[in-house]
């Protein structure tokens, strides 16, 4: 009855909290090395130490479980797991916050028992080894031919090496997520522990065209405040800024590279014959390739972005493949940039359906979510009763005594129209985050890349203000 009441309370808490952690139910964890490499053992030891330092944790392995009071001395191949051993394992879950099962590389009665008991299996591999050499893996991860539990892959990277070939490790493995751990980098192990223990921080960046450059200032403020970002996602301009962060750039490097791309590269000046769009999009693609030519699965941080399937009117969630292509789809503002082909279908700006994808981040194993909203919800009143003609606008700009009209340009109108349709949804999604940062960028134009530094500073100031009293 106590276990039942605990489960009911957990369900109620998830339904009523702003951001229900997807990792909140990960009490039992299995570490399953895919080889006997010494680096893998070192990671498992450090992971155990970090987890134990955060919460009450018991480690159970073939060498220790008998000494810890298990009702059987060992498990034999082919025999069913005794009920008393199952009950003993359940008692451990009641006594400790985490139960950590340690396994050796290979399929064994112990590893199958651990997999069956665990909420998540962390498979640990050396990225430089051959993923096809682990022939025993499917057997160890199944019970009577059925795959069980949640699974994640921890890929250990050689220090200083560029992350590559992750796709080979992911192919054929039905994983919930994967993480990269650089050898000798304690912060990466700490990130893995935060994600598994439900204490990770997810950062969600919304759309807003040039106003979204304020995300760089927010990023700088977060780093200065000592807040580690463990998972990142975004839409439209937010997909670009999220990609910069996920690639592992420092705030100063991200600001410097983005200034060069947006202010120097002039991506909004790539005009063409307006058959499908005002801009060709080739300049944007070229700039993205210079700065963010990665495969998503090779990024330092877990990443996603959102685009809109133009034919079916549904969301595309990009979590693998070319980062450049995913960003181009997510930021393909209708009428401004041409649609992008995604799996033989056309895709446009993700802001059309989800301009602040907090809902997707809630499905990730993070404990709290910081969302950054660049949309302007304050009414923008005008000083004229009727929209002036183009000639009246031009007269005001060129003749010294003619009345001047402040009107948005064609590009700004199209961008603002894309944003307006989701304002109510953005407010709802923003309320689901643990912290909503809303940089004061309304005074900047949607394509005002000339004000790059002022926009970044506005994001920095607003984030510092909100983070000052945030626990």
């Amino acid at each position: 009855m106590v276990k039942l009441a605990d489960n009911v309370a957990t369900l109620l808490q998830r339904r009523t909290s702003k951001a229900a952690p997807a990792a909140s139910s990960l009490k039992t964890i299995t570490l399953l090395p895919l080889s006997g490499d010494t680096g893998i053992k070192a990671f498992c030891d450090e992971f155990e130490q970090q987890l134990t330092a955060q919460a009450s944790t018991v480690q159970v392995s073939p060498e220790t479980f008998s000494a810890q009071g298990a009702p059987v001395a060992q498990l034999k191949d082919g025999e069913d797991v005794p009920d008393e051993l199952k009950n003993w394992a359940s008692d451990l879950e009641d006594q400790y916050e985490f139960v950590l099962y340690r396994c050796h590389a290979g399929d064994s009665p112990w590893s199958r028992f651990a997999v069956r008991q665990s909420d998540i299996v962390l498979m640990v591999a050396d990225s430089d080894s051959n993923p096809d050499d682990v022939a025993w893996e499917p057997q160890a991860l199944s019970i009577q031919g059925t795959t069980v539990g949640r699974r994640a892959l921890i890929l250990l990277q050689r220090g200083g090496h560029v992350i590559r070939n992750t796709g080979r490790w992911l192919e054929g493995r039905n994983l919930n997520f994967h993480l990269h751990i650089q050898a000798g980098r304690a912060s990466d192990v700490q990130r893995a522990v935060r994600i598994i223990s439900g204490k990770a921080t997810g950062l969600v960046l919304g759309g807003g065209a040039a106003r979204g450059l304020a995300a760089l200032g927010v990023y700088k403020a977060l780093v200065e405040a000592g807040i580690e970002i463990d998972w990142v996602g975004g839409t439209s301009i937010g997909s670009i800024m999220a990609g910069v962060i996920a690639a592992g750039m420092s705030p100063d490097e991200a600001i410097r590279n983005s200034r060069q791309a947006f202010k120097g590269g002039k991506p909004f000046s790539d005009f063409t014959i307006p058959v499908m769009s005002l801009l060709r999009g080739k300049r944007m693609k070229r700039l993205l390739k210079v700065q963010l030519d990665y495969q998503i699965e090779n990024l330092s941080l877990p990443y996603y972005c959102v685009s809109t399937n133009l034919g079916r009117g549904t969301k595309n969630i990009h979590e693998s493949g070319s980062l450049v292509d995913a960003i181009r789809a997510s930021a393909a503002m209708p009428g401004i940039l041409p649609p992008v082909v995604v799996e033989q279908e056309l895709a446009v700006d993700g802001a059309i359906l989800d301009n602040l994808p907090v809902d997707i981040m809630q499905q990730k194993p993070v404990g709290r979510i910081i969302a950054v909203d660049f949309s302007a919800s304050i009414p923008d009143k005008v000083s004229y009763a009727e929209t002036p003609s183009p000639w009246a606008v031009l007269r005001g700009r060129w003749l010294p005594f003619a009345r001047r009209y402040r009107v948005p340009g064609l590009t700004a109108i199209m961008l603002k129209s894309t944003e307006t349709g989701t304002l109510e949804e953005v407010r709802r999604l923003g309320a689901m985050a643990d912290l909503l940062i809303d940089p004061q960028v309304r005074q900047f134009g949607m394509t005002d890349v000339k004000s790059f530094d002022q926009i970044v500073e506005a994001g920095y100031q607003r984030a510092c203000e909100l983070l000052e009293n945030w626990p």
Side-chain angles (χ1 to χ4, degrees):
M1 290 299 294
V2 171
K3 292 283 287 184
L4 179 61
D6 179 62
N7 289 337
V8 171
T10 301
L11 287 172
L12 288 172
Q13 189 272 336
R14 290 181 191 171
R15 291 178 181 176
T16 56
S17 64
K18 284 187 176 181
S24 60
S25 60
L26 303 181
K27 272 186 67 74
T28 53
I29 304 156
T30 291
L31 285 174
L32 181 63
L34 297 187
S35 73
D37 184 85
T38 55
I40 293 179
K41 183 181 184 304
F43 164 80
C44 293
D45 290 342
E46 188 171 358
F47 181 91
E48 178 186 336
Q49 292 172 8
Q50 294 282 354
L51 186 64
T52 303
Q54 286 197 16
S56 62
T57 304
V58 59
Q59 183 258 86
V60 189
S61 66
E63 293 80 18
T64 63
F65 88 115
S66 179
Q68 289 169 340
V72 296
Q74 62 179 358
L75 294 171
K76 296 181 180 179
D77 202 359
E79 292 185 358
D80 292 335
V81 178
D83 288 339
E84 57 267 29
L85 183 58
K86 296 178 185 177
N87 294 334
W88 172 79
S90 296
D91 289 341
L92 285 180
E93 295 178 33
D94 293 335
Q95 296 172 33
Y96 296 91
E97 190 170 345
F98 294 103
V99 178
L100 182 64
Y101 291 100
R102 294 282 298 265
C103 301
H104 301 299
D107 176 33
S108 67
W110 171 258
S111 62
R112 290 196 293 273
F113 167 74
V115 166
R116 186 169 190 167
Q117 287 296 124
S118 61
D119 297 317
I120 188 167
V121 178
L122 300 181
M123 297 175 287
V124 189
D126 185 333
S127 63
D128 287 344
S129 60
N130 188 348
D132 299 326
D133 289 344
V134 197
W136 52 266
E137 180 187 339
Q139 181 64 27
L141 292 172
S142 64
I143 297 174
Q144 297 178 345
T146 302
T147 301
V148 296
R150 283 175 278 191
R151 292 180 292 169
L153 178 66
I154 307 292
L155 279 176
L156 305 183
Q157 307 289 336
R158 305 287 182 181
H161 286 196
V162 176
I163 300 174
R164 54 168 59 92
N165 299 326
T166 306
R168 290 188 59 211
W169 281 99
L170 302 184
E171 188 176 354
R173 288 181 167 89
N174 185 21
L175 300 170
N176 294 90
F177 59 90
H178 71 278
L179 300 173
H180 294 290
I181 305 294
Q182 291 285 349
R185 188 179 294 174
S187 60
D188 283 1
V189 182
Q190 292 164 5
R191 175 175 294 114
V193 171
R194 285 195 300 271
I195 289 174
I196 299 305
S197 62
K199 297 177 181 178
T201 298
L203 177 64
V204 180
L205 305 176
R211 294 169 177 171
L213 296 169
L216 297 168
V218 173
Y219 177 37
K220 181 180 179 181
L222 290 171
V223 171
E224 290 181 355
I227 297 174
E228 297 280 357
I229 301 168
D230 302 304
W231 213 291
V232 63
T235 192
S236 196
I237 185 71
S239 70
I240 303 176
M241 300 296 99
V244 167
I245 295 171
M249 297 183 193
S250 67
D252 289 341
E253 184 182 7
I255 292 171
R256 182 176 63 253
N257 292 346
S258 298
R259 183 190 292 110
Q260 180 182 350
F262 282 92
K263 197 172 180 179
K266 299 180 179 179
F268 296 119
S269 301
D270 192 18
F271 293 102
T272 185
I273 300 172
V275 177
M276 288 191 297
S277 60
L278 293 176
L279 306 179
R280 288 188 305 168
K282 290 187 176 180
R283 187 175 298 178
M284 176 72 79
K285 181 179 180 180
R286 184 175 69 251
L287 293 170
L288 289 172
K289 275 192 166 294
V290 171
Q291 303 289 353
L292 296 172
D293 193 11
Y294 299 91
Q295 294 295 111
I296 293 176
E297 55 268 29
N298 291 335
L299 291 169
S300 299
L301 294 182
Y303 167 95
Y304 69 85
C305 68
V306 180
S307 67
T308 298
N309 184 293
L310 191 58
R312 290 182 280 130
T314 55
K315 285 191 287 190
N316 299 320
I317 302 175
H318 303 267
E319 296 181 284
S320 62
S322 167
L323 176 62
V324 170
D325 290 345
I327 288 174
R328 288 176 58 229
S330 183
M333 300 166 285
I336 308 298
L337 290 165
V340 175
V341 178
V342 176
E343 297 181 355
Q344 296 185 304
E345 297 181 285
L346 294 178
V348 294
D349 201 315
I352 294 175
L353 293 181
D354 197 343
N355 201 27
L356 192 65
V358 174
D359 51 337
I360 299 172
M361 186 64 80
Q362 281 195 313
Q363 300 168 27
K364 308 301 179 184
V366 298
R368 59 181 184 177
I369 297 174
I370 299 173
V372 188
D373 176 22
F374 310 107
S375 58
S377 57
I378 302 173
D380 191 8
K381 296 187 177 182
V382 297
S383 60
Y384 38 85
E386 187 175 345
T387 306
S389 69
W391 295 112
V393 174
L394 291 175
R395 281 197 302 270
R397 290 179 181 176
W398 296 106
L399 298 179
F401 300 107
R403 179 181 177 182
R404 293 181 63 86
Y405 293 93
R406 189 172 67 86
V407 296
L410 176 60
T411 303
I413 290 174
M414 297 173 77
L415 290 171
K416 188 63 180 175
S417 298
T418 301
E419 177 189 84
T420 302
T422 58
L423 279 178
E424 285 299 323
E425 182 69 0
V426 165
R427 294 189 188 101
R428 184 185 71 83
L429 292 169
M432 293 163 62
D434 296 277
L435 176 64
L436 180 65
I437 300 176
D438 53 344
Q440 305 304 299
V441 290
R442 178 173 168 268
Q443 69 274 25
F444 301 107
M446 302 286 276
T447 59
D448 188 10
V449 293
K450 292 181 180 179
S451 301
F452 177 92
D453 292 294
Q454 295 94 311
I455 294 173
V456 172
E457 181 64 20
Y460 176 76
Q461 293 296 337
R462 182 59 172 162
C464 287
E465 176 188 344
L466 294 175
L467 289 170
E468 185 175 358
N469 297 314
W470 196 60

